[in-house]
Amino acid sequence: MKTRIIPSFVMALSISMFADSVGGSVFYSTDSDVDVFKVSTSAYVNLDRNIEVGASLTKGRISGFDSTRPALLANIKNGDFVITADAGIESHGNEFTTLVETSYNQKNYILGVFAQKDIVDSKLGMQDSVTFNAVGGSAEIMNDTVGIVGSAIKYDYDDATIKNLINAKAYYSFLDGFNLFVSTQHYTTSKRSIYFFSPDSYDRNLLGIGTRQKFFDGVLFAQIATGTQKVNDYDSEKSDFFKIGYDKKIVNNLQFKSEYIYDKKQPDYAYRQTLVSLVYKF
């Protein structure tokens, strides 16, 4: 699938003459069941040094269904508190979708909570306009060499399925810009759902290495990990994860970001994701 970024960025410029920042992005992901392609434009206005509000328009195709989502955006900073909000209407099924995140940032720890409503992006989920509500929290404790991250999320779906998810990760920084990490994921679902992968229990454990390095006046970052996963009472299977990305200020206030993810969770299942974005601040 061919994609073009510049028209998206130019459109943002044309609709935001009085904006303080504009941006455009292209997103594509695929797995054994779902293909998602989205092109987004956004613009922000700074109300003061701590508050910016904006709007975005996202168009794409999800599991064979056309999708359009206009949204209102807000970023608020109050000392160590940061709040981001995104509220819009998904055209398929006219569903209201939103994401609100709050974080409290200190030198040696970060606390966060979030709430989200979104549509299930599987073929059947899009066909029947099935949505979910999610609430969760996270915490990270770190110093110059070691850190621990944990999160817990509860998903409540339209079909009365409940999913409880726990993630944990510990990392150790060594040399210059390198880190070793171990991560674990565990979740349970209350019943089988026809709309998404919903085993009674799922466990995944990975060991990996990550890096962030200066590269051609930008930052190159990557992670690679391998381990095992276990679904219900079946035997454990090999699982792999790979991520690579590059951030760079191209000229003056024009910021370029890119990321690619390959996530193999089962012998016949692999998830791939690509994101490219440009943001210009006046």
Side-chain angles (χ1 to χ4, degrees):
M1 179 180 294
K2 295 182 179 180
T3 59
R4 297 180 66 191
I5 305 170
I6 298 302
S8 170
F9 184 66
V10 171
M11 184 166 68
L13 286 171
S14 66
I15 64 174
S16 53
M17 295 177 60
F18 304 102
D20 294 297
S21 66
V22 295
S25 67
V26 172
F27 174 89
Y28 177 70
S29 69
T30 183
D31 60 26
S32 59
D33 181 56
V34 179
D35 290 312
V36 177
F37 173 68
K38 296 180 181 180
V39 178
S40 299
T41 59
S42 62
Y44 283 93
V45 174
N46 297 329
L47 299 184
D48 60 35
R49 59 181 297 180
N50 295 319
I51 301 175
E52 60 179 12
V53 296
S56 67
L57 177 64
T58 302
K59 296 183 69 67
R61 193 165 179 81
I62 303 174
S63 298
F65 294 89
D66 291 330
S67 169
T68 301
R69 184 180 184 270
L72 297 177
L73 313 171
N75 293 322
I76 302 171
K77 297 179 180 179
N78 184 7
D80 298 315
F81 282 98
V82 178
I83 300 173
T84 62
D86 176 328
I89 301 293
E90 169 64 53
S91 63
H92 182 74
N94 290 321
E95 294 289 350
F96 174 75
T97 59
T98 185
L99 173 63
V100 178
E101 298 176 289
T102 301
S103 64
Y104 179 68
N105 302 273
Q106 290 291 304
K107 180 180 179 181
N108 296 116
Y109 66 90
I110 301 173
L111 304 176
V113 295
F114 85 96
Q116 179 185 20
K117 180 179 181 179
D118 209 343
I119 192 166
V120 176
D121 59 8
S122 67
K123 293 177 182 178
L124 279 177
M126 293 293 293
Q127 177 181 301
D128 294 345
S129 297
V130 176
T131 64
F132 67 86
N133 294 293
V135 293
S138 63
E140 180 175 4
I141 303 172
M142 67 285 196
N143 58 29
D144 293 336
T145 56
V146 297
I148 299 174
V149 187
S151 64
I153 307 170
K154 180 179 181 180
Y155 296 87
D156 191 350
Y157 294 85
D158 280 353
D159 67 347
T161 303
I162 295 175
K163 175 179 175 180
N164 294 303
L165 170 68
I166 296 175
N167 292 304
K169 178 180 178 180
Y171 58 88
Y172 168 71
S173 300
F174 66 102
L175 297 178
D176 185 13
F178 286 88
N179 67 82
L180 291 172
F181 65 88
V182 292
S183 66
T184 184
Q185 181 183 80
H186 171 77
Y187 66 79
T188 60
T189 48
S190 60
K191 67 184 184 70
R192 299 292 177 91
S193 173
I194 63 173
Y195 296 107
F196 58 93
F197 182 59
S198 51
D200 295 333
S201 65
Y202 176 88
D203 292 278
R204 189 188 196 194
N205 300 291
L206 297 175
L207 172 65
I209 186 171
T211 186
R212 292 182 64 89
Q213 301 291 330
K214 292 182 179 179
F215 186 74
F216 285 99
D217 298 322
V219 176
L220 177 70
F221 57 92
Q223 286 185 352
I224 185 169
T226 189
T228 61
Q229 65 154 10
K230 184 175 177 62
V231 178
N232 297 331
D233 294 325
Y234 295 106
D235 293 337
S236 296
E237 299 175 334
K238 190 173 184 293
S239 183
D240 301 307
F241 177 83
F242 173 72
K243 177 171 73 173
I244 188 168
Y246 184 63
D247 295 351
K248 181 178 181 179
K249 182 178 290 187
I250 300 177
V251 289
N252 296 328
N253 296 326
L254 181 61
Q255 187 74 32
F256 168 82
K257 293 185 177 182
S258 62
E259 183 178 271
Y260 172 78
I261 292 175
Y262 171 82
D263 197 358
K264 184 178 181 182
K265 294 187 176 181
Q266 299 174 30
D268 57 349
Y269 175 90
Y271 173 84
R272 298 171 178 85
Q273 172 185 308
T274 303
L275 173 66
V276 179
S277 70
L278 286 170
V279 176
Y280 185 85
K281 293 186 178 182
F282 296 100

